[in-house]
Amino acid sequence: MEKKNKHRSTIALVLDSAIFAAFLVATAPQFSGLAVHEWLGIAFAAAAISHLLLNWQWIAATTRRFLKGLRWQGRISYLLNVALFVDVTILIFTGLTISEVPLRSMGIVLPRQTIWRLVHSLAADLSIAIVGLHLALHWQWVVNTIKRPILKSLLPRQRVPEFGLDANPARKEPQL
Amino acid sequence: MKHIIRTFIILAAALVVVGVAILLSNSLGATRRRGLPTLNSADPGSALFQRGPDEARVLAGFEPNRFLGDLDRGRGSRLNWVGLSTVIRNLVVIAGIVLAVTLVGNTAKHLRRPAHSRQAKEQAGSGSGA
């Protein structure tokens, strides 16, 4: 069971790192060019759905406990995640609306409206701040997940309790 | 704290390496590979530009991009620095937020601890350091 959880944490870390790298590149369309920016945005949507599915247990449990018995740190984290979800949804929707390359390659031409471009820019700027906060709240999990295999390979026969080796390594509620 | 700084320095260094590789490949090979002039190298007075900026861009190997203004100018080797610097700036902003939240969290945790246990820990720390 513990091995399964560790494997799951590693998969989550690899996926999250890829999403973060894609996000960073997508925030600078001048860097990648418009076509890469737009295709990356579509891939980002798929990766974000995978990220949600991987953390579905936490989402379901926190939603159930939100109004009763959840600590304020958990509530802040939950609200931040909701804000990030809304922001990313707006970002992808407006991105598709103003898209030039992927939709056109499928023969779909949408009427141009400047408002979507403006909303897309605002949502993109806001997403940098929210992603920063999201990463900050889960930083300890990131460090622990990276450190655990490294420490285990260095100290193969010792337990490392401070990094949660003998605890459930599944993602914990973030602590402020 | 050290981990945050180290991780973000590694990420920034990796981005710089990727950026330099892109710039080198752009300036060394792109024009020759396509056999077409880029916007940087095309003569604004030439027939290519007189056909209109959008058509000139398409002919020069750029995608038509009237809606996003001069976004696709970033494809020129010189202007790609603008894109890379945006990526690094965003990374620095995110690192700053992570650092700030970690600092606030650690300070809050430290202050929440009862005073006597804090003193005991500080004494133990200074004792072991001596």
Side-chain angles (χ1 to χ4, degrees):
Chain A
M1 185 67 185
E2 194 184 321
K3 199 175 176 184
K4 196 179 167 188
N5 276 335
K6 260 187 259 175
H7 184 61
R8 208 178 148 159
S9 292
T10 311
I11 290 173
L13 184 72
V14 171
L15 179 73
D16 293 355
S17 307
I19 292 175
F20 183 64
F23 172 78
L24 269 183
V25 174
T27 54
Q30 306 96 322
F31 180 57
S32 58
L34 192 64
V36 174
H37 172 76
E38 291 185 0
W39 283 113
L40 202 60
I42 291 171
F44 183 80
I49 291 169
S50 313
H51 178 79
L52 287 176
L53 289 175
L54 267 174
N55 295 292
W56 192 252
Q57 279 182 325
W58 181 87
I59 295 167
T62 315
T63 307
R64 274 196 295 269
R65 288 192 300 139
F66 187 74
L67 288 176
K68 40 186 179 182
L70 190 66
R71 286 162 59 183
W72 66 271
Q73 292 102 321
R75 283 188 188 163
I76 288 176
S77 176
Y78 186 80
L79 290 176
L80 185 81
N81 285 323
V82 170
L84 184 60
F85 177 72
V86 171
D87 189 63
V88 168
T89 307
I90 292 171
L91 202 57
I92 292 165
F93 172 75
T94 52
L96 283 174
T97 314
I98 60 173
S99 157
E100 295 215 356
V101 183
L103 289 190
R104 282 194 185 181
S105 67
M106 290 179 236
I108 304 166
V109 182
L110 296 170
R112 281 179 184 161
Q113 288 182 352
T114 323
I115 183 79
W116 295 130
R117 166 93 184 103
L118 186 71
V119 175
H120 188 70
S121 298
L122 285 173
D125 289 344
L126 188 63
S127 71
I128 293 168
I130 304 179
V131 165
L133 287 170
H134 183 75
L135 185 60
L137 287 178
H138 294 94
W139 187 254
Q140 204 52 51
W141 175 83
V142 174
V143 172
N144 288 350
T145 313
I146 293 171
K147 265 189 168 180
R148 204 182 298 124
I150 297 170
L151 275 175
K152 214 180 172 187
S153 63
L154 289 173
L155 310 163
R157 290 187 185 177
Q158 287 179 27
R159 296 181 82 111
V160 193
E162 65 264 38
F163 296 113
L165 266 185
D166 48 359
N168 182 4
R171 196 171 289 207
K172 289 175 191 166
E173 190 177 286
Q175 299 289 317
L176 266 179
Chain B
M1 189 78 72
K2 266 190 290 177
H3 306 300
I4 299 171
I5 296 168
R6 212 178 292 161
T7 310
F8 280 98
I9 286 174
I10 291 168
L11 273 175
L15 278 172
V16 169
V17 170
V18 171
V20 169
I22 289 170
L23 291 177
L24 282 175
S25 70
N26 264 1
S27 53
L28 291 177
T31 311
R32 256 175 289 158
R33 196 170 51 244
R34 286 181 178 167
L36 289 164
T38 65
L39 274 187
N40 288 341
S41 62
D43 174 16
S46 70
L48 186 70
F49 265 74
Q50 283 162 14
R51 284 189 225 174
D54 288 327
E55 197 180 351
R57 284 178 177 203
V58 175
L59 287 171
F62 290 84
E63 287 136 15
N65 187 21
R66 294 171 214 103
F67 198 53
L68 291 180
D70 58 353
L71 190 68
D72 55 358
R73 284 200 303 145
R75 289 212 162 187
S77 57
R78 196 153 35 97
L79 285 162
N80 242 350
W81 281 113
V82 178
L84 185 66
S85 66
T86 310
V87 175
I88 292 171
R89 187 201 64 193
N90 292 338
L91 185 67
V92 169
V93 169
I94 291 171
I97 293 170
V98 174
L99 268 173
V101 172
T102 311
L103 268 176
V104 170
N106 285 348
T107 312
K109 214 184 280 177
H110 182 73
L111 291 176
R112 265 206 309 269
R113 222 175 275 155
H116 57 85
S117 80
R118 232 184 301 155
Q119 280 168 358
K121 199 178 176 190
E122 276 162 16
Q123 276 172 3
S126 62
S128 64

